[in-house]
Amino acid sequence: MIMLDELNAQQRLAAKKIDGPLLILAGAGSGKTKTIIYRMAHMIRNLGIPASSILGVSFTNKASKEMRERMHALMGRRVGRDLTLCTFHSLCVQILRQDIDSIGRRKNFTIFDTSDQLSVLRRALKHFNAGKGFDRKTVISKIEKLKNLGIGENEFADSIYFDPEDPYDHATEYCYRYYQENLEFYNAIDFNDIILLAVQILKKNPQIATKYSKRFQYIMIDEYQDTNPLQFQLVQFLTSTHNNICVVGDDDQSIYAFRGADIGNILSFERQFKGATIIKLEQNYRSTAPILNLANAVIKENKKRTSKTLWTQKKSNKLPILWAMGDTEHEADVVAEEIAKMQMSGVHLSNVAMLYRSNTQTPPLEDALRLSSIPYKIIGGQKFYDKKEIKDLISYLSLILNPRNEVALRRIINVPNRGIGKTTLNKFLDKSKSEGMTLFKTMQNFPQVAGSRANLISSFVEIISVNSKNFKMMSLREAIGALIEQIDYLKYIEKEYSDTPKQIEGRKGDVYNFLEAATRFQNYMKEETSLKNFVEKLLLQDSQDSNDDGDDDGAGDGAGDGEGVNSKNEVSLMTLHSSKGLEFNTVFLIGVEEESLPHKRTIEQGEDISEERRLCYVGMTRAREELIMTYCKERTMYGKKVPRHRSRFLHSLKDSKLFVEQDRTTFGHLSEEEAEEYKDNFFASLIDSL
C-alpha cells in the first residue's frame, strides 16, 4: 500500500480524486510534484490501475526526468518502466513515428535544428527579393508563433493575425509557404511541427485519436497554465473517449505568453471540462510568512485570476526589504557588499540568487561581483564577458598590454574585417618561426611578407602602437573609447549583423556597457587604475570561473516544487523567467521599478500588465528566508542617467507595513576593517583551493 499520510489534507484530496476532470491549483512551493507522484502511486498500487494506462505530461525533459526518478524511488523501477512520463513533444514524436503516413508524410523524417531553419529562411528571403532588409530570426519567430496557434501556411493570410500594413507579415506569408514546401521536399519537420502535425493526424483520423485516448485512460498535465491553443487541442483529442483528465498549475505563475502560452486554458478549465473538481494547494513549504504576505498582496491586484492565498507555518520576524539606491553602480556595489558580508559569515553562495527582469541589467552586477572577487554563475543566459564583442575588445586590450599575446592577436587580426586572411597569417607564422621572434614583432619588422597586403599589416601594427601610447596618456575609459572609435567597431557591428538588424542595438549596447565597466573600475580602483590591472582582473576572474571547486552541496532541500540549480559556491544570476521553479534562501530582486518591472515595452504599448505582476510574484516566491528588493533613483541607460521610481507593484503597498523601505543612498559600504577581513578570507580560500 502507498500511504498518503505524508500529504497534507488538500494534497490527499487531490491524490484520491481519480475519476473525472480535476484541476489542482498548486501555489508556489506547495509541493505539487509530490502530490502528483503520490497520486499516480496511489492509482497503481492501491487502486490496481495499470501503469501503462497512465500518461503524465510535463513541459521540460528536466521535469519529466525528476518525476520519473521520484516514481522509481517510491515504487521501484519495474513499475516506473510501464508508466509513460514524457514531454508534450516526446509524446507527439511517438505519434508521428507511428502515424505520420496517415497525412501523406514518410515515417523516416528528420527534425531540422535552428541552423537548418535559418538556412532555408535565407533562401526564402532571397526569393522574396528581400535583400537584407528583414531579420530572419523575426520571420522564424512569426512562423513559430503561427504554428503554436495551429495556423498553417495556407491559412495565415486569411487569419486575424495577418496585418496587410505590416511588411513583415507579407514576408512571413511568402516565407512560410516556401519554408514548408522545402521541409516536405527534404522529408523534414521542425520543432514546432511536432505538435502541429500530431494534432493534424488526430483531427483528420478520428480512429487514431480514439486509439491513443483508449490507450491512456488517465491523463495528467503539469504546468497547465503554460499550455498553448495547440496543446489544448491535443489534450481534447487524448480525452475523446473519457474524461479522466487531471491538470496541475497556477495561473498566478503564468509568465510565458511570449511563447504562446494561453492563461485562458487554466482559467476556463471548468467550462471546457464539465463537472470538474477544483482543489487548491495553498500551504507553502518554501517561504516565510512575511514573504508570502507581501507576494499575496502584490498578486491579488490582478483581476483575472483564481482566488487563493498562500500560507505557511514558517514564522519569521524578518520582513522583506526594499532598498532605494542612488544609481545603477551604487545598486550593484551595495548588493555585492551585502553578499560579501554573507560570505564572510559562512553563507554558502549557492543559497543566494540575484533576479532581474532583463539580461541588460547584468553588466554592472557582474562587474561588482568581479571586483569583489565573488564567484557567480548565470543561469539560462550568457555571461557579459563571454560575449563575442566583449571578447574582441578584451583581446585588443590584451595585445596592447602584451604584444607577445599571440592568441589575442590571432583573434582580432581581421576584426573588424581588414582583408587579412588565413593565407597571409600563415605566411607570418612561418616567418615568425624561422626568425625566432614573436608574431607581432614579425609583422612589425617584416610587413613585406604580406606582399600586396603589406600596408594592411602596417596599419594594424600602427593601431596597436598608437593605442599603447593612448593608455599611458588618457584615462582607462577615454583610451578604450578612442580604440573603439579608431577601429570603427560600432560600424563593424552594423555590417556584421545587417541581416539580423534587431541584434545590432543590443550588441552596441554591450560595447557601451563595456565602457561603463571601465568607468566603474576607475571609480573602484582610483589610483590603482591601469590597463594592466583592468585586464588582469578580467582574466583572473575568467580563470576562477573555469575552476570546478568540487563542492557538491545542494542549493535546496526540495521541500517545495523546485530547488536551486547551483551546487558550487557561486551566486546565481538569472532573469525572472529563468527563475521559475527554483528556490533560494536569499533572493535579491533587482530593479523593482517602473520601466523595469513592469517593463517599459509593456507600459509604452499599453498592454495589460498582469503578466508583469505575475513575474514580480514569481520572483518574490523564489525566496525561502530573505527577500531584498532594490530600485534606483536614477539608472544609467546606454550611457545616460535616467530618473527612476519604485514599481507600482510596491508603490501601492508602501504604507502596508508588509515590507521595510530603506534609503541606501547615504550608507552601505564595507568598513575598512570589514574590507580587510573579507580580502584576508578570500585570499586564504583561494590558496586553499589551489
Side-chain angles (χ1 to χ4, degrees):
M1 292 287 290
I2 294 295
M3 306 305 293
L4 302 181
D5 294 345
E6 290 189 34
L7 306 179
N8 66 37
Q10 290 300 102
Q11 290 172 338
R12 280 197 301 275
L13 280 177
K16 290 180 177 180
K17 172 62 181 171
I18 304 303
D19 297 316
L22 169 65
L23 167 59
I24 303 175
L25 281 170
S30 62
K32 72 177 178 66
T33 303
K34 183 177 182 179
T35 304
I36 295 170
I37 295 301
Y38 271 82
R39 184 176 187 271
M40 289 189 288
H42 171 64
M43 292 167 69
I44 298 167
R45 187 63 55 81
N46 297 347
L47 303 182
I49 294 172
S52 58
S53 68
I54 300 172
L55 169 66
V57 181
S58 57
F59 272 81
T60 66
N61 289 318
K62 179 185 175 185
S64 180
K65 180 182 178 183
E66 181 190 356
M67 289 174 65
R68 189 177 298 109
E69 288 175 348
R70 292 177 69 168
M71 277 299 294
H72 288 165
L74 187 61
M75 299 191 65
R77 290 188 175 273
R78 187 184 62 80
V79 173
R81 279 198 299 269
D82 296 332
L83 190 65
T84 301
L85 297 174
C86 59
T87 64
F88 272 107
H89 286 90
S90 60
L91 171 66
C92 289
V93 167
Q94 292 178 40
I95 295 174
L96 296 181
R97 291 295 181 197
Q98 292 184 38
D99 298 296
I100 197 171
D101 55 347
S102 68
I103 56 172
R105 304 287 290 271
R106 299 192 299 278
K107 289 185 177 181
N108 61 335
F109 60 85
T110 57
I111 300 175
F112 268 20
D113 61 19
T114 302
S115 62
D116 295 327
Q117 290 178 284
L118 291 176
S119 177
V120 175
L121 250 295
R122 185 185 296 111
R123 296 200 301 273
L125 284 169
K126 186 176 180 180
H127 281 273
F128 184 65
N129 198 27
K132 293 187 176 181
F134 289 92
D135 182 355
R136 283 176 292 149
K137 290 187 177 180
T138 299
V139 176
I140 275 286
S141 178
K142 281 179 170 283
I143 292 174
E144 290 175 348
K145 181 178 180 181
L146 291 169
K147 288 187 176 186
N148 285 330
L149 290 168
I151 298 172
E153 69 273 23
N154 297 317
E155 301 164 331
F156 176 41
D158 297 323
S159 74
I160 60 172
Y161 299 97
F162 182 79
D163 181 359
E165 303 296 321
D166 186 350
Y168 262 102
D169 278 4
H170 287 282
T172 301
E173 182 198 7
Y174 178 86
C175 291
Y176 195 1
R177 293 175 189 271
Y178 183 100
Y179 178 70
Q180 291 303 114
E181 287 171 4
N182 272 261
L183 287 181
E184 288 199 41
F185 177 80
Y186 292 117
N187 190 30
I189 65 174
D190 66 22
F191 188 73
N192 294 282
D193 279 326
I194 292 172
I195 299 179
L196 178 64
L197 293 178
V199 168
Q200 287 181 11
I201 290 169
L202 302 180
K203 185 183 294 184
K204 293 179 180 179
N205 302 276
Q207 75 281 5
I208 296 178
T210 299
K211 176 181 72 173
Y212 287 103
S213 182
K214 286 186 175 180
R215 175 184 169 187
F216 299 118
Q217 289 288 309
Y218 298 90
I219 297 173
M220 277 182 275
I221 312 291
D222 192 16
E223 302 288 6
Y224 191 66
Q225 77 279 352
D226 295 334
T227 53
N228 62 34
L230 201 58
Q231 289 160 336
F232 173 69
Q233 290 182 53
L234 179 67
V235 171
Q236 285 185 308
F237 285 118
L238 292 175
T239 56
S240 59
T241 65
H242 60 80
N243 221 13
N244 300 325
I245 172 75
C246 168
V247 302
V248 186
D250 181 9
D251 51 299
D252 289 335
Q253 297 186 76
S254 178
I255 59 174
Y256 296 119
F258 69 95
R259 294 182 186 167
D262 184 0
I263 193 175
N265 288 347
I266 193 168
L267 292 177
S268 60
F269 184 81
E270 285 179 282
R271 294 196 303 275
Q272 294 160 345
F273 296 93
K274 301 300 180 184
T277 299
I278 297 180
I279 297 175
K280 300 178 184 179
L281 305 185
E282 297 173 289
Q283 183 174 358
N284 177 285
Y285 292 92
R286 176 189 300 155
S287 307
T288 62
I291 293 171
L292 291 184
N293 291 340
L294 177 60
N296 286 331
V298 167
I299 199 62
K300 78 174 185 180
E301 295 299 317
N302 273 359
K303 305 306 177 189
K304 292 183 179 180
R305 64 181 291 265
T306 308
S307 176
K308 56 187 165 309
T309 303
L310 296 185
W311 63 277
T312 182
Q313 294 179 344
K314 294 175 66 175
K315 307 300 180 184
S316 173
N317 294 322
K318 187 179 289 186
L319 288 174
I321 300 172
L322 175 66
W323 283 342
M325 304 293 196
D327 58 21
T328 311
E329 288 71 32
H330 179 242
E331 175 184 59
D333 287 346
V334 172
V335 172
E337 287 171 2
E338 191 69 21
I339 294 173
K341 290 179 183 178
M342 295 168 67
Q343 188 180 30
M344 287 161 57
S345 66
V347 170
H348 200 277
L349 295 184
S350 64
N351 287 316
V352 181
M354 298 167 70
L355 311 182
Y356 35 81
R357 176 64 178 85
S358 169
N359 280 316
T360 59
Q361 294 171 251
T362 60
L365 301 175
E366 289 192 63
D367 281 339
L369 294 174
R370 281 171 171 265
L371 291 170
S372 299
S373 299
I374 297 172
Y376 67 94
K377 177 179 183 180
I378 292 185
I379 309 296
Q382 186 180 28
K383 283 188 175 183
F384 178 67
Y385 290 95
D386 286 342
K387 295 182 177 181
K388 178 193 179 301
E389 287 69 30
I390 306 308
K391 281 188 169 291
D392 285 348
L393 295 175
I394 291 175
S395 291
Y396 266 102
L397 301 185
S398 297
L399 185 61
I400 290 167
L401 180 65
N402 176 20
R404 302 176 67 88
N405 189 332
E406 186 174 316
V407 173
L409 190 158
R410 294 176 71 158
R411 180 184 178 94
I412 48 90
I413 182 68
N414 202 41
V415 176
N417 191 311
R418 49 178 63 93
I420 302 174
K422 187 175 180 180
T423 301
T424 302
L425 178 62
N426 285 336
K427 290 179 181 178
F428 280 102
L429 287 170
D430 291 340
K431 184 68 173 176
S432 168
K433 188 175 181 180
S434 65
E435 295 291 333
M437 61 177 61
T438 67
L439 183 58
F440 184 79
K441 197 74 174 174
T442 305
M443 291 179 171
Q444 200 172 30
N445 292 348
F446 304 102
Q448 65 273 16
V449 169
S452 61
R453 287 177 168 75
N455 62 322
L456 300 176
I457 294 294
S458 295
S459 295
F460 174 73
V461 169
E462 181 68 9
I463 287 172
I464 303 303
S465 300
V466 167
N467 282 279
S468 178
K469 295 173 184 174
N470 286 346
F471 278 95
K472 295 173 183 174
M473 298 184 295
M474 301 178 180
S475 71
L476 184 65
R477 159 80 185 238
E478 290 171 336
I480 295 175
L483 169 66
I484 291 168
E485 188 173 342
Q486 185 176 359
I487 63 176
D488 215 355
Y489 196 78
L490 296 179
K491 181 70 73 176
Y492 161 72
I493 289 175
E494 291 174 0
K495 290 180 180 177
E496 190 75 2
Y497 301 100
S498 58
D499 60 342
T500 54
K502 289 197 172 182
Q503 291 193 42
I504 292 173
E505 284 309 307
R507 291 179 183 272
K508 282 185 175 180
D510 289 335
V511 174
Y512 295 134
N513 281 327
F514 188 67
L515 287 169
E516 292 300 322
T519 301
R520 286 190 288 272
F521 186 79
Q522 285 177 182
N523 295 338
Y524 184 87
M525 299 298 289
K526 296 184 172 61
E527 68 277 359
E528 295 181 37
T529 300
S530 69
L531 177 61
K532 181 176 182 291
N533 288 342
F534 185 55
V535 172
E536 283 182 354
K537 191 72 176 178
L538 298 179
L539 298 182
L540 174 62
Q541 187 67 41
D542 284 342
S543 175
Q544 291 166 359
D545 287 347
S546 64
N547 275 338
D548 186 343
D549 61 12
D551 195 330
D552 293 323
D553 289 347
D557 58 12
D561 59 4
E563 58 184 55
V565 295
N566 187 0
S567 61
K568 295 182 182 179
N569 193 21
E570 302 170 318
V571 179
S572 295
L573 277 69
M574 70 195 81
T575 64
L576 290 166
H577 284 100
S578 296
S579 73
K580 174 76 167 58
L582 304 178
E583 58 186 58
F584 303 89
N585 287 351
T586 300
V587 166
F588 291 90
L589 190 49
I590 307 297
V592 188
E593 61 197 39
E594 289 296 291
E595 299 191 357
S596 286
L597 189 66
H599 197 276
K600 180 180 181 180
R601 182 176 58 249
T602 304
I603 297 171
E604 288 182 343
Q605 295 178 357
E607 297 176 3
D608 182 10
I609 63 164
S610 297
E611 183 156 321
E612 294 291 311
R613 193 184 297 276
R614 292 195 290 271
L615 274 170
C616 184
Y617 173 80
V618 165
M620 290 176 171
T621 53
R622 298 312 95 195
R624 294 192 193 107
E625 299 169 3
E626 188 172 24
L627 173 63
I628 300 172
M629 304 165 287
T630 72
Y631 79 96
C632 290
K633 295 182 178 180
E634 64 177 19
R635 191 172 289 279
T636 305
M637 308 292 289
Y638 296 103
K640 296 181 180 179
K641 297 285 188 180
V642 181
R644 307 288 271 194
H645 310 281
R646 76 168 72 85
S647 168
R648 67 189 71 185
F649 303 148
L650 294 180
H651 186 75
S652 61
L653 301 173
K654 61 185 176 66
D655 299 321
S656 65
K657 297 183 179 179
L658 292 172
F659 64 92
V660 176
E661 181 166 352
Q662 296 176 349
D663 191 333
R664 294 299 298 263
T665 58
T666 56
F667 63 94
H669 293 278
L670 290 174
S671 67
E672 289 186 14
E673 292 80 6
E674 288 174 322
E676 285 304 314
E677 182 184 354
Y678 174 72
K679 288 179 181 177
D680 290 344
N681 289 344
F682 168 72
F683 285 113
S685 64
L686 181 60
I687 291 169
D688 287 343
S689 69
L690 296 174

